[in-house]
Amino acid sequence: MSVPPEAPKSRFTLGKVRDVPHAGLIAVLVLVVVFTAAQSETFATDRNIVNILSQVSVNAVLAAGLTLLMTAGGMDFSMGSNVAVTAAVSAKLLADGQPTGYAVVVALLLGTAIGLVNGLVVTFTNVAPFVVTLASATLLDGVALLVHDGSTISIGTRMSALGNDKVLGVPYLLIVAVLVLIVTALVMRFTVFGRDAFAIGGNEHVARLSGINVTARKLTLYGLTGTLSGLAGLMLLSRLGSSSPGGTAGLSLQLAVVAAVVIGGTSLAGGHGTVIGTALGLVLLGVVANALNLLDFSSNYQPVSVGAVLLVAAIANEMHKARSGSARH
């Protein structure tokens, strides 16, 4: 009696592994975690893990909005600069003695207005979103510098509870970030608004013909990214206790957010995106940054690592898209 070959079974198993959502991203994350934990005793402690998650909380709020926007075929490179402006303006208000609630409302409204302006220009001029929002980012960085007028604006202990306090050992910033990610995931998965975003990103012309108000949806999406930028600005301000010229916001923050979203598998062309993938991308970048710090690498390696991971993720996404296309045919 002949023994049947085992090759088909192996191919089947490998195929099943490839079908696991974000399998490659999870594998890379596990490898980085295992390697760093073996090299540093501090890495796997509860305190350090909470520290990593807290550090990516601001990025997570921005990435949630960007995931939804990119799924609809949009792009906003000004979110980081929006954070810089809203943080600077709210810090100025608080330093001048204005009530905290007033500063929060102004920051959220200002962030939303900036997002809506981007949406209006993109929607009614047909200029590429990349060009519009990159120009906005440059303009907003200049506005932030004008607000600071060359000096750091300190808010003392105002809003310090949001940035530093915890509930049951979990930082408030992390709770806010997780809630934003969960709500975004639910919107994308279970609402008409979320389905419309996928449809617009897949084919805007077909979406219009099917009765979707594309203009209204785009304006809402850009306004939402602006609102979340305002929220992120408040979160960053509460964590740092001050706003400074050329601080941690701006284009560097934006690139880290875009990297996390793209690493998570959201398509730059629109039509596909997942909040789970974005969350994994955020954690991966946070772990890499933390690992470089614990292993005493120069801080100059962090942007190098972000760029390298982003490049690998973009190539992997294109290869996966090509494989999926050939499989369908």
Side-chain angles (χ1 to χ4, degrees), residues 70 141 156 252 294 300:
M70 286 177 59
D141 285 341
S252 59
L294 292 178
N300 295 330

Side-chain angles (χ1 to χ4, degrees), residues 95-111:
D96 289 343
Q98 296 294 336
T100 301
Y102 177 73
V104 168
V105 171
V106 168
L108 294 177
L109 290 177
L110 177 59

